[in-house]
């Protein structure tokens, strides 16, 4: 009982938080080719032609279609009760962030007609970044503990335990950042890319001596 009390007297529990912003190093593009026709065969043929034209245009931009991934393909009947057959094919592509190239790609969309697209900026190694921020959170806790220990005439001897309170705001929290102008003269290509903010927090028990 006495030993337990003495140990408790010589511990301090301190939270630590860290937050860091990272430039995205990858952009994920998703394209959906969609067409409709009176028969499934016609819908497949029309959708295939639309996609083939779009892929040819991408090749003209120096993008190799073999680098793209097909994630799903479907033909459904009576979608929206219009009695037609609807073809859809989804493909994905990951590239280094390049707003000028992205603008060139989006300029192909009206020409192709039946192509929808979306883009998402991300970190290729989010786990490594999270671990870096987590280490910083532990260090922040230690610095606070050292200040407290010094105030009572003691020093930090070691860490007794660490609890990770880690809600990561990172993968869903974005801020605008400056971006290079790229190779295009358009104003759109000069827009800022989103920075990805990673946040971590811990609660640590430090043993004083």
């Amino acid at each position: 009982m006495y030993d337990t009390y003495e140990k408790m007297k010589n511990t301090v529990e301190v939270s630590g938080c860290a937050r860091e912003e990272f430039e995205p190093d990858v952009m994920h593009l998703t394209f959906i080719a969609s067409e409709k026709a009176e028969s499934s065969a016609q819908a497949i043929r029309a959708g295939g032609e639309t996609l083939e034209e779009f892929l040819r245009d991408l090749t003209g931009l120096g993008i190799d279609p073999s680098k793209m991934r097909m994630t799903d393909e479907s033909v459904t009947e009576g979608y929206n009760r219009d009695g037609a057959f609807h073809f859809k094919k989804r493909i994905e592509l990951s590239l280094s962030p390049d707003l000028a190239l992205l603008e060139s790609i989006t300029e192909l969309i009206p020409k192709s007609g039946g192509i929808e697209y979306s883009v998402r900026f991300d970190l290729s190694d989010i786990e490594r970044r999270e671990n870096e921020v987590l280490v910083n959170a532990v260090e922040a806790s230690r610095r606070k503990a050292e200040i407290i220990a010094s105030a009572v005439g003691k020093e930090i001897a070691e860490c007794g335990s660490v609890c990770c309170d880690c809600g990561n705001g990172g993968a869903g929290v974005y801020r605008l950042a400056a971006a290079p102008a790229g190779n295009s003269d358009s104003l759109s290509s000069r827009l800022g890319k989103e920075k990805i903010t990673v946040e971590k927090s811990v609660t640590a028990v430090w043993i004083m001596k």
Side-chain angles (χ1 to χ4, degrees):
M1 181 80 172
Y2 177 77
D3 289 343
T4 301
Y5 174 70
E6 285 299 310
K7 288 179 180 178
M8 290 180 62
K9 280 203 313 179
N10 289 296
T11 62
V12 56
E13 182 176 297
V14 185
S15 64
C17 300
R19 180 175 179 274
E20 191 167 350
E21 292 182 337
F22 299 96
E23 284 279 359
D25 60 359
V26 62
M27 63 179 182
H28 300 292
L29 294 152
T30 299
F31 304 101
I32 300 176
S34 59
E35 293 289 351
K36 65 179 181 178
E38 295 180 355
S39 70
S40 60
Q42 290 174 332
I44 292 171
R45 182 166 54 253
E49 290 172 354
T50 295
L51 182 58
E52 189 67 17
E53 178 186 358
F54 181 62
L55 292 177
R56 279 196 300 268
D57 290 339
L58 289 179
T59 301
L61 294 177
I63 298 174
D64 185 354
S66 68
K67 303 298 183 183
M68 306 186 78
R69 304 173 299 278
M70 186 190 78
T71 58
D72 60 73
E73 180 177 349
S74 65
V75 178
T76 56
E77 182 181 7
Y79 183 70
N80 286 339
R81 300 180 180 177
D82 61 2
F85 286 82
H86 290 254
F87 167 89
K88 280 196 173 185
K89 190 168 188 174
R90 183 191 304 265
I91 55 178
E92 296 179 352
L93 173 66
S94 296
L95 299 168
S96 296
D98 184 333
L99 296 183
L101 175 59
L102 178 60
E103 185 178 5
S104 296
I105 293 173
T106 58
E107 288 174 353
L108 301 176
I109 304 300
K111 176 184 175 183
S112 299
I115 300 289
E116 303 170 32
Y117 85 98
S118 64
V119 60
R120 177 173 58 87
F121 293 96
D122 204 352
L123 295 171
S124 59
D125 192 356
I126 184 67
E127 184 176 355
R128 179 171 65 87
R129 299 300 192 181
E130 289 177 345
N131 290 340
E132 291 173 3
V133 177
L134 184 57
V135 169
N136 292 338
V138 175
E139 287 299 317
S141 172
R142 183 184 181 92
R143 287 193 295 271
K144 288 182 183 179
E146 288 173 343
I147 293 171
I148 294 171
S150 177
V152 296
K154 296 186 177 183
E155 298 178 353
I156 294 299
E158 60 182 316
C159 182
S161 65
V162 179
C163 176
C164 184
D165 310 323
C166 305
N168 172 32
V173 178
Y174 302 95
R175 288 171 174 262
L176 289 179
N183 298 320
S184 174
D185 293 329
S186 73
L187 296 178
S188 296
S189 68
R190 303 177 191 175
L191 293 175
K193 295 192 294 293
E194 294 172 312
K195 273 193 175 179
I196 298 177
T197 304
V198 178
E199 297 178 83
K200 294 294 181 182
S201 60
V202 300
T203 301
V205 175
W206 299 92
I207 300 172
M208 300 182 293
K209 63 179 179 180

